[in-house]
Amino acid sequence: MLSLTCPCCGITAEETEFAPGGEAHLKRFGPGSSDEAFEGYLFARKNPKGVHFERWRHAYGCGKWFLAARCTATLEVFGTYPAQTTQPPAELIAKIKAKRPEWEGWA
Amino acid sequence: MSTRLAKGGRLIDRAKPLNFTFNGKPMRGFAGDTLASALLGAGQVMVGRSFKYHRPRGIVASGAEEPNALVGLGRNARFEPDQRTTTTELFEGAETRSQNHWPSLDFDIGEINDRLYKFFPAGFYYKTFMAPRAAWKHLFEPIIRKSAGLGGVPKEADPDRYEQAYAHCDVLVAGGGVAGLAAALREGRAGKRVWLVEQSAHWGGRTPVDDGQIDGVEAEDWIAAALEELESLANVTMRTRFMAAGLYDHGYVIGYESVADATPGDGRPRHRLWRIRAGLTITATGAIERPLAFAGNDVPGVMLASAVRDYIVNWAVSPGDRTVIVTNNDDAYRTALALLDAGLTVPTIVDAREETHGALPQEVKARGVRVLEGRGIARVLGRSRVTGVEICAQAGEGGAVETIACDCVAMSGGWSPVVHLWSHCGGKLIWDEPRAMFRPDPSRPPTGADGAAMATVAGAANGDLTLAETMAGFGIGACSHDEAALAPVWMMPAGATDALRYKAFLDFQNDVKVSDVQLAAREGYTSVEHTKRYTTLGMATDQGKLSNINGLAVLSDALGQPIPATGTTTFRPPYTPISLGAITGEARGDLFQPLRRTPIQSWHEAQGAHWEPVGHWRRPYCYPRKGESHSDAVGREITNTRKNVGMLDASTLGKIVVKGPDAGRFLDMLYTNMMSTLPVGKCRYGLMCNENGFLMDDGVVARLSEDMWLCHTTSGGADRIHGWMEDWLQCEWWDWKVYVANLTEQFAQIAVVGPKARALLERLGGMDVSKEALPFMHWAEGKLGDFDARIFRISFSGELSYEIAVPASQGLALWETLMAEGEALGVMPYGTEALHVMRAEKGFIMIGDETDGTVIPQDLGLSWAISKKKADFLGKRAQERSHMTDPNRWKLVGLETLDGSVIPDGSHAPAEGYNANGQRNTQGRVTSTYYSPTIGKGIALGLVLNGPDRMGEVIEFTGEGETQIKARIVETCFYDKEGEKQDV
């Protein structure tokens, strides 16, 4: 069972206090978008063995959504940050790069 | 004959005798005994029969690794099978029963299996029960089921209490031997919050049984001093009878504490399950001695060498008068010393090594014990008790050179570190060639949330098998006998014949022999994980604590590869079985899950309502009167509601307030239709879809003010939809000025439904509820009688209907007032089933019935509720996908059975032909089906291929069994198609 730190209320809590929400930083495609773009938005999800950005909600706490950078293989949590952003914070990316030089980076 | 020695026994209290029974026979032990030591002390060597061959079996070990000596313990509701006698503490009045035999332990019909061993090779089931197919159900499975399973199942509910607890610490030390004590001292002195846990009832591990000095004093004195200091440290918590059962992600440890096992019924919880978050876990879990594989190594009286000396030193129990020791290492010679010190006879030590020069062998030889070098045991003599051993050359094929009479055999194949905790969450192992063992690889530990090691390992668990090595890890001096290298011997003799290998057991509990593993290798099982499953090696309740390493050594040998190339099977928690009661904790009975109650619940209970679970709510399904069936009650409630007036507790309905300058814009994105244009004071039915376009919730939206809307959701959907709204507001449109609040439980809501509904409300006085003042699909706020009410003119039944929301605190009073005032009008409460039937009679959809996550609103004839003006809403783009716009979709229609019967739930309409999987094609299915007391026959809603284009057509649905039910496709609305009744 993971433990995560909610960046909104600052509490480090058990995984059972959170609800997972899948991949972070999806760009929404709506009416007028091409079939390919919409398919990508709706169905194509990254499934890396390694660094991954994902959504969590502090469902049984402050109720806020936040984002986490986590290694899917070792479960190392590199950091969590508020959901109101379209990309991970630069310092978090730098931190991951330092820890995982082979990481191809965020895209 | 095993017996209690007159002197000694460091763990027993001879002043406190305890009575217990074994198969009804009275026996006596002492406080401090385990069941195993008490049984041996009472002369009971054979304690059970094996699982597959029903061979007589005795106690092998003295700890958690015991494979054989499992008994049924207790009686009636407190009976529990498969209790390990070696770890179960003796208590006064304990009732124990041996397992896996019929009619008795000494005479067992199933023993025939042992004579037929050649017909039960590895993979016996896979090979035998293949054909004929029909025989499986009627012949094979009943026989297998009858013979499967170890021990009996208690027939009554568990009367005991279990609880769960949480703990947080900087360091968890698992294991209370000298390594664990030293680790706890180091961390405790450094000021860390330390938990030190030990699975047995005693501190110190096995060092006091073996020899040695620590820090210049006898080990036992060092242990006593360490305990004294640890107890004085406020930051150190110490628990015995507490197993660290598993290490999980991010330093999560499950602890299993035995609280009242030895005092059944004393009111305390029997077990406690601990959820511990440890910054660092130090695994000081020791090592387990390995058996040797030789013919008859399972005969009662053959034991681990370490266990033999444990029984002598700890419990003053002699496992036998004449003990032959068989070994491939020096450590087993300690057992000879213990036996000699107790005045027992050691006829011979059989050592597989060609030479023995170590300090321990020298000391033993000096005391006059005969040591045979380069020898092995060809076979053990005796069936239900060892009577002797045949000695052979270890290098040979098993030709006996000598027979030695004995009643106990102490075997030692070396030691394996207990690496379970280390391995549970990803810690890796390396093969230590000189010591022939897997031990933790410090460069590949399990890692935690920060990516750093979350476990380290100390003592024998680290492969530091001598006392000096263990204590050196803590910078503490220690000494014991030097030990010479072991010889990696796994089987005796090296060239054992087929006949010998058929009786040389690797896994005692699952009856897996050397021959089975070799057969698996010959049949192509090269992966250790496959071999495990094929032979069942290591799959018993002991999880192969004694058998795994030996088994994979034999497999490696058969495959002609080194042991590390074969690898180990996966170590999975828990370390030893834990009770289901502890996992359940207090979550049973009334506490199984939280129950949500409406403010009117107590009234429903007093009425004797029949309940239906809806999410975490329980709602009245109907209110049966005396002598009335449920279906009669439902029919009465419907008829009365349509004729007079009925009342429904609709408090469970989701009520979410959406407020803010951007609230209208937000709701336009969430609902398929336009909510921003809804005038204040009016209500509008709305649909919500997910981004796949599928319908996920529906309900009536009321605009409360210029910037505030109230969204009604389904009863089960309120929390989900509230979360859905929060998701979009926080993660996508975070700059929109909208606030949402789930007020579901803040309001009670009562539906007053039927032609006399207005008359009933008017009896309360106050608000004007006339058609002019409060028309259909409007709402109004005010005083209804004494109540602060918000009244919605909405109808889910097709009748004149008012839904009255009041603060939750006023709900019960309003309900009771309406009931009293309505008596003259014939008011009756109605339940969820009447609600369902009435909405189906009107053709109204129900989320979860008409929808299943693959249905779009267009399938349900709800295109009218999908805005064509809006540029965007959730699900809009998805509904433009080719599959969604396919004209050949299953669409909602009404169904009327020709014979008036009711189509069964879930019924499909078969079509011509078969699909690619050979299944019958279908052209539709029923989504809701009821007997309608209003129409007087079976009605249904269903999704049918091109349904709306096929009005009047008769199609067949599957009925009960092979029958077919003919039904005519009709419009979805069966009752008051013009909607006149609700709009009066």
Side-chain angles (χ1 to χ4, degrees):
Chain A
M1 176 154 58
L2 306 180
S3 56
L4 296 168
T5 302
C6 171
C8 302
C9 67
I11 284 180
T12 300
E14 303 277 319
E15 185 177 336
T16 47
E17 203 166 294
F18 302 96
E23 186 179 326
H25 302 303
L26 292 181
K27 176 170 163 40
R28 180 171 184 263
F29 286 88
S33 59
S34 68
D35 283 352
E36 290 70 28
F38 187 66
E39 181 197 8
Y41 159 59
L42 206 51
F43 300 118
R45 292 291 178 273
K46 294 183 182 126
N47 186 22
K49 182 180 182 182
V51 180
H52 192 43
F53 295 86
E54 56 194 13
R55 289 155 26 92
W56 288 87
R57 186 182 181 212
H58 196 181
Y60 296 95
C62 68
K64 294 301 181 198
W65 282 93
F66 64 91
L67 307 180
R70 192 173 65 98
C71 175
T72 59
T74 68
L75 310 187
E76 178 175 359
V77 179
F78 303 104
T80 56
Y81 51 101
Q84 292 76 38
T85 177
T86 54
Q87 58 185 26
E91 61 271 24
L92 180 60
I93 290 176
K95 179 181 170 187
I96 300 170
K97 269 279 185 201
K99 283 197 158 197
R100 302 286 170 92
E102 75 286 358
W103 178 48
E104 59 198 22
W106 182 79
Chain B
M1 176 79 183
S2 67
T3 186
R4 185 79 65 174
L5 297 164
K7 289 186 300 183
R10 56 184 285 272
L11 300 182
I12 56 167
D13 182 353
R14 289 180 197 257
K16 290 184 189 156
L18 297 173
N19 297 294
F20 71 104
T21 62
F22 177 69
N23 289 340
K25 188 178 164 195
M27 293 183 176
R28 179 173 275 206
F30 295 113
D33 262 328
T34 62
L35 288 179
S37 67
L39 283 165
L40 280 175
Q44 188 69 42
V45 172
M46 176 179 166
V47 294
R49 283 187 178 265
S50 73
F51 181 59
K52 191 168 162 188
Y53 301 120
H54 291 241
R55 284 170 67 88
R57 288 286 164 81
I59 294 158
V60 175
S62 57
E65 68 273 29
E66 174 62 38
N68 285 341
L70 309 183
V71 295
L73 176 62
R75 68 153 76 173
N76 299 335
R78 285 210 164 82
F79 174 82
E80 195 158 8
D82 299 326
Q83 296 303 287
R84 252 182 336 281
T85 55
T86 51
T87 55
T88 306
E89 291 172 65
L90 181 66
F91 57 91
E92 177 64 29
E95 294 177 56
T96 63
R97 289 205 165 270
S98 54
Q99 301 187 145
N100 219 38
H101 51 67
W102 185 84
S104 74
L105 177 60
D106 294 322
F107 178 74
D108 172 31
I109 297 286
E111 197 171 356
I112 185 80
N113 285 4
D114 193 32
R115 315 279 174 197
L116 302 174
Y117 65 90
K118 285 198 178 172
F119 301 102
F120 293 103
F124 168 70
Y125 284 65
Y126 306 126
K127 290 165 180 165
T128 309
F129 302 112
M130 296 290 289
R133 201 181 169 88
W136 176 255
K137 188 171 178 189
H138 302 292
L139 180 64
F140 301 149
E141 188 181 332
I143 292 173
I144 291 168
R145 281 206 183 281
K146 200 162 163 21
S147 55
L150 198 58
V153 177
K155 302 273 190 290
E156 297 168 41
D158 189 338
D160 283 317
R161 204 158 71 73
Y162 301 83
E163 67 179 25
Q164 299 189 349
Y166 292 81
H168 295 82
C169 58
D170 300 319
V171 179
L172 176 91
V173 181
V178 291
L181 294 174
L185 272 177
R186 183 186 64 201
E187 303 296 330
R189 284 170 184 161
K192 302 272 179 60
R193 287 178 305 158
V194 177
W195 270 62
L196 171 63
V197 302
E198 160 58 38
Q199 64 182 352
S200 77
H202 307 282
W203 300 106
R206 59 170 306 101
T207 301
V209 174
D210 300 339
D211 54 287
Q213 291 188 326
I214 302 173
D215 214 6
V217 299
E218 288 301 318
E220 198 136 21
D221 296 331
W222 183 87
I223 291 166
L227 288 171
E228 197 177 334
E229 182 179 348
L230 285 167
E231 274 158 14
S232 75
L233 293 173
N235 53 325
V236 176
T237 304
M238 300 165 70
R239 297 260 181 176
T240 53
R241 302 182 176 92
F242 191 118
M243 171 176 67
L247 173 61
Y248 302 81
D249 308 336
H250 294 186
Y252 185 68
V253 177
I254 289 290
Y256 180 61
E257 185 180 20
S258 163
V259 181
D261 269 325
T263 52
D266 76 345
R268 293 182 299 163
R270 182 164 167 243
H271 299 144
R272 202 174 276 136
L273 194 82
W274 288 85
R275 300 150 173 260
I276 304 168
R277 281 281 178 189
L280 178 72
T281 298
I282 300 177
T283 74
T285 45
I288 290 176
E289 192 168 30
R290 297 189 291 248
L292 286 164
F294 48 83
N297 63 345
D298 67 325
V299 174
V302 180
M303 302 171 69
L304 294 174
S306 57
V308 168
R309 63 182 188 267
D310 283 344
Y311 286 111
I312 292 169
V313 176
N314 284 336
W315 296 287
V317 166
S318 154
D321 299 333
R322 291 169 57 82
T323 301
V324 167
I325 295 169
V326 55
T327 182
N328 65 357
N329 62 74
D330 276 7
D331 177 65
Y333 287 79
R334 291 193 169 94
T335 300
L337 296 174
L339 287 161
L340 295 171
D341 289 347
L344 299 163
T345 306
V346 183
T348 305
I349 294 181
V350 181
D351 197 317
R353 297 172 294 181
E354 290 298 331
E355 293 175 2
T356 53
H357 299 304
L360 279 160
Q362 295 305 331
E363 187 174 336
V364 171
K365 284 176 193 167
R367 290 179 70 170
V369 176
R370 181 178 172 228
V371 176
L372 292 175
E373 289 158 341
R375 292 284 190 256
I377 288 183
R379 73 174 81 231
V380 173
L381 305 175
R383 180 153 186 87
S384 58
R385 185 73 171 101
V386 173
T387 58
V389 290
E390 288 182 3
I391 307 294
C392 64
Q394 169 59 20
E397 292 179 358
V401 295
E402 184 181 354
T403 300
I404 299 173
C406 63
D407 59 356
C408 179
V409 175
M411 60 181 166
S412 176
W415 291 77
S416 293
V418 175
V419 296
H420 297 65
L421 269 188
W422 172 269
S423 304
H424 283 163
C425 205
K428 297 290 187 280
L429 305 175
I430 46 174
W431 178 249
D432 184 326
E433 187 72 36
R435 301 185 190 210
M437 66 186 184
F438 282 103
R439 63 178 173 80
D441 180 350
S443 68
R444 293 180 296 164
T447 55
D450 57 359
M454 63 176 177
T456 61
V457 58
N462 193 33
D464 299 333
L465 294 182
T466 67
L467 189 59
E469 288 171 325
T470 287
M471 301 317 287
F474 300 97
I476 299 172
C479 62
S480 58
H481 285 97
D482 289 336
E483 292 179 38
L486 63 62
V489 167
W490 309 101
M491 185 176 72
M492 285 187 163
T497 59
D498 277 356
L500 294 181
R501 283 183 282 113
Y502 272 123
K503 297 290 181 188
F505 285 83
L506 293 169
D507 186 322
F508 297 97
Q509 196 169 116
N510 266 354
D511 274 344
V512 181
K513 305 158 307 211
V514 170
S515 55
D516 294 318
V517 173
Q518 291 173 335
L519 177 66
R522 283 203 303 280
E523 291 182 352
Y525 288 85
T526 55
S527 155
V528 65
E529 295 281 10
H530 290 160
T531 301
K532 166 180 167 170
R533 283 151 183 84
Y534 189 58
T535 63
T536 72
L537 177 89
M539 287 174 68
T541 66
D542 62 347
Q543 291 284 290
K545 289 187 179 63
L546 292 186
S547 62
N548 275 350
I549 302 297
N550 290 4
L552 66 93
V554 170
L555 178 65
S556 301
D557 177 62
L559 296 173
Q561 65 189 23
I563 288 171
T566 304
T568 67
T569 53
T570 308
F571 294 89
R572 292 198 175 85
Y575 178 59
T576 64
I578 65 180
S579 62
L580 290 173
I583 296 170
T584 306
E586 303 278 15
R588 61 180 186 170
D590 288 344
L591 299 180
F592 178 66
Q593 67 173 16
L595 183 67
R596 299 177 76 177
R597 297 170 61 87
T598 76
I600 308 165
Q601 198 92 356
S602 59
W603 191 92
H604 306 317
E605 284 165 359
Q607 290 291 309
H610 176 64
W611 301 101
E612 175 180 42
V614 179
H616 283 176
W617 307 93
R618 280 198 312 169
R619 301 187 69 184
Y621 174 93
C622 63
Y623 300 82
R625 292 180 170 175
K626 202 168 181 192
E628 198 178 39
S629 72
H630 293 160
S631 62
D632 289 346
V634 171
R636 170 180 54 74
E637 289 169 11
I638 293 168
T639 304
N640 185 67
T641 301
R642 295 231 184 270
K643 201 172 102 201
N644 297 311
V645 57
M647 278 167 52
L648 174 85
D649 180 1
S651 303
T652 60
L653 203 69
K655 309 168 199 80
I656 300 173
V657 163
V658 179
K659 182 177 164 63
D662 291 314
R665 179 188 182 196
F666 177 60
L667 292 179
D668 281 348
M669 284 302 295
L670 249 61
Y671 285 93
T672 60
N673 42 359
M674 196 81 94
M675 289 300 174
S676 57
T677 58
L678 181 64
V680 175
K682 285 198 76 173
C683 304
R684 183 171 288 165
Y685 175 70
L687 306 172
M688 270 191 223
C689 294
N690 58 24
E691 278 285 68
N692 286 284
F694 299 127
L695 185 55
M696 60 185 277
D697 209 79
D698 68 345
V700 170
V701 177
R703 189 164 187 177
L704 300 182
S705 67
E706 202 48 47
D707 71 342
M708 182 153 68
W709 281 255
L710 173 65
C711 302
H712 288 115
T713 74
T714 55
S715 287
D719 295 312
R720 181 169 47 87
I721 297 300
H722 179 238
W724 174 248
M725 291 177 169
E726 285 288 349
D727 191 351
W728 287 100
L729 284 174
Q730 292 180 33
C731 302
E732 186 72 20
W733 305 309
W734 59 76
D735 53 335
W736 293 14
K737 294 187 175 66
V738 185
Y739 184 78
V740 300
N742 184 356
L743 301 183
T744 299
E745 298 199 357
Q746 274 60 45
F747 291 93
Q749 196 142 324
I750 299 169
V752 180
V753 180
K756 296 178 185 171
R758 182 172 291 132
L760 173 49
L761 263 58
E762 282 169 347
R763 290 176 78 106
L764 269 66
M767 292 172 66
D768 184 351
V769 294
S770 64
K771 181 179 182 180
E772 296 69 31
L774 182 50
F776 185 52
M777 294 307 276
H778 283 63
W779 65 271
E781 218 167 49
K783 279 275 185 187
L784 179 69
D786 296 331
F787 300 96
D788 305 310
R790 186 184 287 146
I791 306 180
F792 305 91
R793 270 292 307 274
I794 54 182
S795 177
F796 201 36
S797 58
E799 300 297 336
L800 169 65
S801 166
Y802 297 86
E803 290 208 7
I804 310 164
V806 295
S809 58
Q810 299 178 27
L812 181 58
L814 173 61
W815 178 274
E816 287 175 337
T817 302
L818 287 165
M819 273 290 155
E821 292 292 339
E823 196 172 347
L825 301 169
V827 72
M828 289 179 198
Y830 68 91
T832 52
E833 185 65 2
L835 159 91
H836 280 119
V837 176
M838 286 193 283
R839 67 91 194 168
E841 289 172 345
K842 281 295 292 177
F844 294 149
I845 64 142
M846 179 68 80
I847 299 293
D849 285 340
E850 276 63 44
T851 69
D852 64 356
T854 68
V855 172
I856 56 175
Q858 291 86 338
D859 297 336
L860 301 178
L862 295 171
S863 298
W864 59 268
I866 301 171
S867 168
K868 305 227 170 14
K869 293 184 200 146
K870 291 197 290 189
D872 193 6
F873 58 82
L874 298 182
K876 181 177 171 69
R877 174 63 181 87
Q879 288 166 4
E880 293 166 0
R881 287 183 290 166
S882 57
H883 181 58
M884 302 303 173
T885 54
D886 184 349
N888 293 317
R889 285 181 69 87
W890 288 11
K891 292 190 170 170
L892 193 71
V893 291
L895 296 161
E896 242 175 32
T897 56
L898 297 194
D899 62 2
S901 65
V902 179
I903 305 174
D905 262 325
S907 194
H908 276 72
E912 290 303 313
Y914 293 83
N915 68 15
N917 294 323
Q919 298 157 323
R920 187 73 187 267
N921 286 328
T922 55
Q923 57 173 331
R925 62 182 167 84
V926 158
T927 55
S928 295
T929 171
Y930 302 99
Y931 174 75
S932 163
T934 311
I935 318 292
K937 59 176 162 181
I939 61 165
L941 298 174
L943 292 161
V944 175
L945 178 65
N946 295 325
D949 304 332
R950 297 165 68 179
M951 285 297 149
E953 191 180 326
V954 174
I955 61 173
E956 288 189 333
F957 283 84
T958 51
E960 302 291 348
E962 302 292 308
T963 63
Q964 304 285 324
I965 299 178
K966 286 187 162 63
R968 178 172 287 116
I969 297 174
V970 296
E971 285 178 38
T972 52
C973 183
F974 297 88
Y975 175 74
D976 185 26
K977 289 187 170 48
E978 286 70 40
E980 289 168 352
K981 289 178 182 291
Q982 64 195 13
D983 192 16
V984 291

